[in-house]
Structure formats: C-alpha cells, structure tokens
Amino acid sequence: MNIHKLPWKKNVLRRLIFSFICILLPLFVLSMIIYNWGVHTLKQEISRSMSSQVSQYFGNLEQEFRRIQLLQYDCLTDDNLNALGSIPESMNNIERMESILRLQQRLNAIRNSSTYIVDVYAYIPSIQKKVSALTVGSLNLDEFNELKDVQNQPGSQLRDHSGGLTLSAAYPTTSPGSSRKPIFMLTVEFSKPKLQENLMKMANSPEEQLLLSNPEYTIATGREISSDPVIPAFLSDHRDMNSTRTVDFQDTRYLAVYSYSPFFDAVLSKYVPVSGVFEPLEKFKSWFVMLAAVSVLIIVLYSLYAYKYIHKPLFKLVKAFRKVEHEDFSVRIAHDVDDEFRYIYARFNSMLENVESLVDQVYKQQILTHRAELKQLQSQINPHFLYNSFFILNTLARLGDNENLEQFTNQLGVYFQFITRSHTEEVTLADEVKHAKVYTEIQTTRFYGRNVTEFGELPEKAGGLMVPRLILQPVIENAFNHGLEQRPEGGILKVHFQHTADEMLLMVEDNGSELSGERLEAMNRSLTGKDVETTGLLNIHLRLRLKYGEGSGLLLERSGLGGLKATIRIADTGKEP
C-alpha cells in the first residue's frame, strides 16, 4: 500500500485524534445503553438499602440509650443514694463513707455497661458532694442548678453540657417552674468521640459521610459535610420520619438519607457520593463483560499502534538526547516513515553536526588561548615577587646572615631555572612538587615568623607521573597572596598528597580569611569559564581536564583550618595518558 495515498498516516496529530475517537465511540454508545437501562432501578435499590441501614442503626442506638436510662432510673432507688440524700445526719462518718463507696460501685457498674459512657455522677446537696464512678468531689451548686434546669426543658433527653452529652434524672421529679428542689440527681456523661467513631463504622468507604444533628449539637464523621440546610426542616416537622433526596456539597453530588428520632430529637443523615452509588451493577454483568472485552481489545490495538508509530520514534529520540548529554556528538538517528519524526530526526542530526563543529572550534580555541596566556605568564616574572626577593636579599646581606643568604640565593636560582625553562610542556610530578616546595620555602623566608608551613612527602610511586608544568605552585601562590598575606601572625599552610590506584590528589589548605558560600560558588564557577576571576587557576583546571579527562581538574572548597582548600585531582593515574 502506498503510504503517500493515506495522508492521515503522515500526521501524528491526526493519528492520535483518529485513535482517540476509535476508543471513545464504542465505550460511549455501550455506556449510554447500560446507564439508561440501569440507573433508575439502581437508585431505588440503593435508596431503600441506605434508608433501612440508617433507620436500623438509629433504632439500635436509641435502644442502647434507653437501656442506660433504665439503669439510671433504677439507681435512683438505691438505698445508699437515698440514705445519703435524705438522712445523712443519721450516719456517722464511717457509715457515710461506706455508703459512698457502695454507691460508687453501683455507678461504676452503669459506667462499664456501655462504651459510650465517660462517667456517671451523683449530685447530693445534703452532703455537698459530687460522687462519680471514679472520684468524690465537692458539689458545685451552679452546675447542679444548671443540670436541673436543662433536665426540665422540653426536647431531647440527651443534652449538650460543657462539651459533652449528658442524660440527667432527678429525684424526686420536678416540673418546669416548680420551686421544689430535688434531693439528688444522677447524670450520665457520654463521649462524643465514641459516638463519632461508631458512626464511622456505618461508612462503607472514605467518601461516605454521616451527620447526627440536634438543635444543641452536631456530630460529623468528616470535614466535607459539617452541616446540612435540609435538617432544620426535619427537626421542625416530625411527620416525615425517613426521607431520601439528592444534595450538593462542595461541587460534589450526594445521595442523602435522613432518619428522625424523637428520643434524641435529632436527625441521623448519611451521604454517599452519587458517583459511587452505581457500583453494584450485578444485573448488568453481561453488558459490562461485553464492554470490558471491547474496551480491552480497543486499548490493546491502540497501544500497539501508539507504540509503533509514536513511542518507538520518541524513545529513539530520547536515547539520542541522553547520549548528547554525555557529550557524545557522534550519534545519528534515522526514520523510515515520511512523517514529522523524519523531519525532526533530520533537524536533530543537522543540529548535532553544527554543535559538534562549534564545540570543537570553541574548545580548541580556548585551550590555545590559555596556553598562550601560560607562555606569557611564564615569560614574565611577577614584579611583586621579584621586588620582595631583592628586599629579602638586601636584608640578609645587611644582617650578615650569610648562611641563610646562601640558602635563599640557591632557592631563587632553582626557582627561576624552573620558571624560565619552556622547552617542554610536561614535567614529572616529583619535579613539579620540588619546584612548589622551593617556592613555599622562599615565601616562608619572606613571611618569617608569621606563617607555619607543613609540606607533606610525595608518595614514591607517584613521582614519575608526567603532569603539565606549573599546576601546584600557582595554587600555593594563590594561598599566600589571597589567604595568608593579610595575617600578621598565626598563618598556617598545609600541602599534602594522597595516592590511590584510581587517582592522585594534591591538596593545599590555609587558614586565611573565611569564605562565604556565595564566594566559594563564584570561585568554582570561574573554573567553568564563566565569570572568570583567576586566570591561573582556570588555566590549571583546563589543562588537567584536557590531559586526563573530565574526572580531573581543580576543586575549591572550605578548609577545615578555616580558609580555602584547593584540591588538584589527577584521575586514572594507573593508566597511560
């Protein structure tokens, strides 16, 4: 088949659109058939099931609280409670304490009868005590009167008091507005968190929410739904004890079921996302099997098609880019089909050719430039260093220190002999270290009494390694000029070496001025050729990378002595360069 006669095969976007339509169209048609057939029946089934579940749960909760209320009423006839409330004066202190202990046992039995109960309290004004299942304390008359007034108010028998739910009973029973005060009162305190925990057990999934609402309190199982504007209507009109409807919260539609309880004077509501209601489609299993089979077939065909015409070309391009990231500019890619990828591949190959040419030109030009700079630096003796050397010679001559004068002149001779020798670009590491050590001794004489130098021994096996000239002495010179020159005393310079099978490290440390993180970052950035501040250090870094590869070079970091630590790394020292 001639591919040029099928223009949609030459355009990736058209292929994607065509494939997308092929996937969605059958799914859409089958989904519409299944939805129109099953949604009405499913809503009725789910609504009846949810309504039955909520009503049964609320009924069981009411039975549990009525059972606790019966235990409370039965405790009102307790002999110990009646004796403490009616005739406390007829008992001595020991008898009164025994009665309180027996009363606590009775209260504790009520407390342990249900996980909802936090504590059970007996308020006894005659002995000015508040006795609970766990403690005995003084009676707070304000709290006692508040509970008495709340207990006489119409509405729910379960009241919200001081952050908890209470169920109170007084003896004898008083009517609202009556001046007669009760002899004692029993109050059961319930835990809201326990009620909330029990409500959460009704949720079949994290998306389902439950809400127990009363005019005085609200207990919710989630943050999404903390109130419902429909509930006040159920609390004011009790004719409709159970109801189901659809409500919206935070851009989510829920199927809501409501159940009212006169005992609690509260509404228990359950909310299930409409999107999750349609899961039990057992009666539509055959349709779903057909839908799944067709969907799988379409997805497989689409996946194979996308893999061949989209994924493989893109993956080939990604692999080529990864090779370029590792500086492999020789990679080339080709594409057989005449589409956008062939054009992209051609442009990619052309771009690599241009980049490879430009990198080669720029890099070689940079190396040649820095080599010329090195030649110039070698041919020009630092006047400042020369002046200081003459000054030291003059001082030693005036003092008549012939021994040090002879030693110093020999050191200068060795130094200038190495500096002016330009017939070779490379020397042995032993010669390079010897030159750096002579320079260090000259500077130590110059800064006599101000600095302490510690020059380590070069490992014997590394002495014959051929290295570029002047890679160590400029680093030491940088330490003196920028780190130690401003210190009047206490300067420290350490030069030490570390040789392994894979690398050779030459480390120069000083305790000069402390460097900030920004300053260190700027100095290391200068070694990349950007924001160049120190031509000598950059030259060393580039020459090491040119000779030994990417793993070699110069690294600047904060020294443990407080100043700068410069590390010269020569990689693969066991191999021939």
Side-chain angles (χ1 to χ4, degrees):
M1 181 181 297
N2 190 352
I3 193 171
H4 298 284
K5 295 182 179 180
L6 299 174
W8 64 272
K9 283 192 174 183
K10 296 176 60 176
N11 189 292
V12 175
L13 178 61
R14 292 178 184 176
R15 291 206 299 264
L16 286 174
I17 295 175
F18 180 81
S19 303
F20 189 69
I21 293 175
C22 290
I23 293 173
L24 288 186
L25 188 59
L27 294 177
F28 178 78
V29 173
L30 290 175
S31 298
M32 288 297 296
I33 294 174
I34 294 173
Y35 180 83
N36 291 330
W37 179 32
V39 67
H40 181 69
T41 303
L42 182 62
K43 279 187 176 181
Q44 289 183 339
E45 180 183 347
I46 295 298
S47 298
R48 285 195 296 267
S49 175
M50 288 177 56
S51 179
S52 174
Q53 181 189 19
V54 173
S55 298
Q56 183 179 2
Y57 173 83
F58 215 11
N60 292 339
L61 188 64
E62 182 176 334
Q63 288 180 5
E64 174 67 9
F65 275 72
R66 288 187 183 277
R67 181 189 65 80
I68 296 171
Q69 190 177 47
L70 289 176
L71 293 176
Q72 184 185 39
Y73 288 154
D74 185 58
C75 188
L76 291 175
T77 63
D78 183 79
D79 294 338
N80 296 289
L81 180 58
N82 279 273
L84 291 170
S86 303
I87 51 173
E89 64 278 358
S90 64
M91 296 182 288
N92 57 35
N93 290 337
I94 295 177
E95 291 174 340
R96 188 178 302 171
M97 183 58 64
E98 290 176 348
S99 297
I100 290 175
L101 291 175
R102 286 192 292 271
L103 175 60
Q104 279 189 305
Q105 292 178 354
R106 183 75 178 270
L107 297 180
N108 194 48
I110 298 176
R111 176 179 173 272
N112 293 332
S113 67
S114 176
T115 58
Y116 298 122
I117 299 176
V118 177
D119 209 343
V120 184
Y121 305 94
Y123 296 86
I124 310 174
S126 60
I127 61 174
Q128 292 296 307
K129 295 292 183 183
K130 175 184 176 182
V131 181
S132 77
L134 303 174
T135 61
V136 178
S138 300
L139 178 66
N140 187 329
L141 287 177
D142 293 337
E143 182 182 3
F144 176 78
N145 292 328
E146 182 181 351
L147 288 172
K148 177 177 72 68
D149 294 339
V150 169
Q151 188 245 344
N152 290 329
Q153 293 176 3
S156 172
Q157 299 184 47
L158 192 65
R159 297 287 183 173
D160 184 48
H161 176 71
S162 299
L165 299 177
T166 59
L167 185 65
S168 299
Y171 182 83
T173 304
T174 58
S175 59
S178 173
S179 60
R180 183 180 180 185
K181 295 184 178 180
I183 299 174
F184 51 80
M185 181 180 294
L186 281 179
T187 298
V188 181
E189 182 184 357
F190 296 94
S191 170
K192 284 184 178 180
K194 286 292 183 182
L195 279 172
Q196 185 183 40
E197 181 181 341
N198 205 13
L199 285 176
M200 293 176 66
K201 294 179 181 179
M202 285 186 61
N204 298 320
S205 67
E207 291 78 14
E208 296 184 8
Q209 309 284 329
L210 286 101
L211 195 65
L212 180 61
S213 302
N214 178 274
E216 296 182 3
Y217 58 86
T218 299
I219 301 176
T221 61
R223 297 180 180 179
E224 291 81 2
I225 304 176
S226 57
S227 62
D228 187 346
V230 177
I231 290 178
F234 285 93
L235 294 175
S236 60
D237 186 3
H238 303 157
R239 290 176 298 175
D240 191 5
M241 303 292 287
N242 296 283
S243 178
T244 304
R245 63 182 62 190
T246 302
V247 295
D248 294 322
F249 291 103
Q250 298 182 359
D251 299 328
T252 303
R253 174 156 292 188
Y254 292 88
L255 185 62
V257 177
Y258 303 89
S259 180
Y260 174 77
S261 169
F263 177 81
F264 294 105
D265 189 25
V267 174
L268 177 62
S269 50
K270 182 177 182 180
Y271 307 87
V272 180
V274 172
S275 59
V277 170
F278 302 100
E279 293 180 358
L281 295 174
E282 294 298 330
K283 63 184 341 180
F284 307 126
K285 187 174 182 180
S286 58
W287 282 100
F288 276 117
V289 170
M290 183 185 299
L291 176 63
V294 173
S295 301
V296 169
L297 179 60
I298 293 175
I299 291 173
V300 169
L301 294 175
Y302 176 76
S303 300
L304 294 174
Y305 184 83
Y307 175 79
K308 180 177 180 181
Y309 291 101
I310 300 174
H311 175 76
K312 286 182 68 176
L314 285 177
F315 185 68
K316 184 186 292 186
L317 186 61
V318 169
K319 286 177 64 178
F321 270 112
R322 287 175 179 169
K323 291 182 179 180
V324 173
E325 288 176 357
H326 291 85
E327 300 184 7
D328 181 6
F329 298 107
S330 62
V331 60
R332 296 294 183 268
I333 51 178
H335 192 56
D336 297 331
V337 181
D338 185 14
D339 58 11
E340 287 88 346
F341 283 109
R342 173 176 285 184
Y343 177 79
I344 293 174
Y345 286 7
R347 294 300 92 203
F348 175 82
N349 295 334
S350 176
M351 177 196 68
L352 281 187
E353 292 174 359
N354 294 332
V355 169
E356 188 176 13
S357 176
L358 289 173
V359 168
D360 186 62
Q361 294 175 12
V362 171
Y363 190 69
K364 288 183 178 179
Q365 182 64 37
Q366 192 175 29
I367 295 300
L368 291 175
T369 300
H370 285 287
R371 280 185 176 177
E373 291 175 353
L374 177 61
K375 293 288 186 181
Q376 184 179 8
L377 288 172
Q378 290 176 356
S379 64
Q380 296 177 356
I381 300 174
N382 189 329
H384 185 65
F385 176 78
L386 185 60
Y387 298 155
N388 287 329
S389 299
F390 284 143
F391 179 78
I392 295 171
L393 286 172
N394 179 60
T395 301
L396 293 175
R398 282 191 298 104
L399 295 176
D401 189 354
N402 295 327
E403 181 178 352
N404 286 329
L405 178 61
E406 180 182 1
Q407 180 182 354
F408 189 73
T409 54
N410 287 333
Q411 290 171 346
L412 284 178
V414 173
Y415 173 81
F416 286 120
Q417 181 183 20
F418 188 90
I419 283 290
T420 57
R421 183 176 60 189
S422 59
H423 65 277
T424 178
E425 291 287 341
E426 295 183 354
V427 294
T428 63
L429 183 57
D431 289 341
E432 177 68 21
V433 171
K434 178 182 177 181
H435 168 70
K437 188 173 183 180
V438 169
Y439 175 80
T440 304
E441 292 171 351
I442 293 173
Q443 292 289 59
T444 302
T445 303
R446 175 191 170 194
F447 296 103
Y448 181 77
R450 293 170 55 184
N451 300 320
V452 176
T453 60
E454 180 183 318
F455 209 102
E457 291 295 330
L458 178 68
E460 184 178 352
K461 294 183 179 180
L465 179 65
M466 299 301 294
V467 298
R469 298 178 71 245
L470 293 176
I471 61 172
L472 181 58
Q473 179 261 318
V475 178
I476 298 176
E477 179 180 358
N478 182 76
F480 275 107
N481 293 341
H482 300 285
L484 301 176
E485 188 172 20
Q486 304 301 324
R487 294 186 67 93
E489 61 181 2
I492 300 175
L493 176 72
K494 287 187 177 182
V495 182
H496 46 106
F497 310 93
Q498 182 178 336
H499 185 212
T500 66
D502 298 326
E503 63 181 6
M504 179 69 206
L505 301 180
L506 291 71
M507 292 163 281
V508 180
E509 298 186 66
D510 64 71
N511 66 337
S513 57
E514 185 175 351
L515 299 174
S516 64
E518 292 79 5
R519 176 63 177 164
L520 275 174
E521 183 180 353
M523 294 178 70
N524 277 295
R525 188 167 60 247
S526 72
L527 299 180
T528 66
K530 304 174 183 177
D531 192 19
V532 179
E533 295 184 0
T534 309
T535 303
L537 296 183
L538 174 59
N539 186 282
I540 293 170
H541 182 69
L542 290 175
R543 286 189 294 139
L544 288 170
R545 288 170 66 92
L546 178 63
K547 179 173 177 58
Y548 298 106
E550 296 295 327
S552 301
L554 184 62
L555 174 65
L556 305 178
E557 55 190 331
R558 187 177 287 107
S559 170
L561 301 177
L564 178 67
K565 178 181 179 181
T567 302
I568 299 173
R569 182 175 186 270
I570 302 175
D572 297 329
T573 58
K575 300 178 182 179
E576 288 294 329

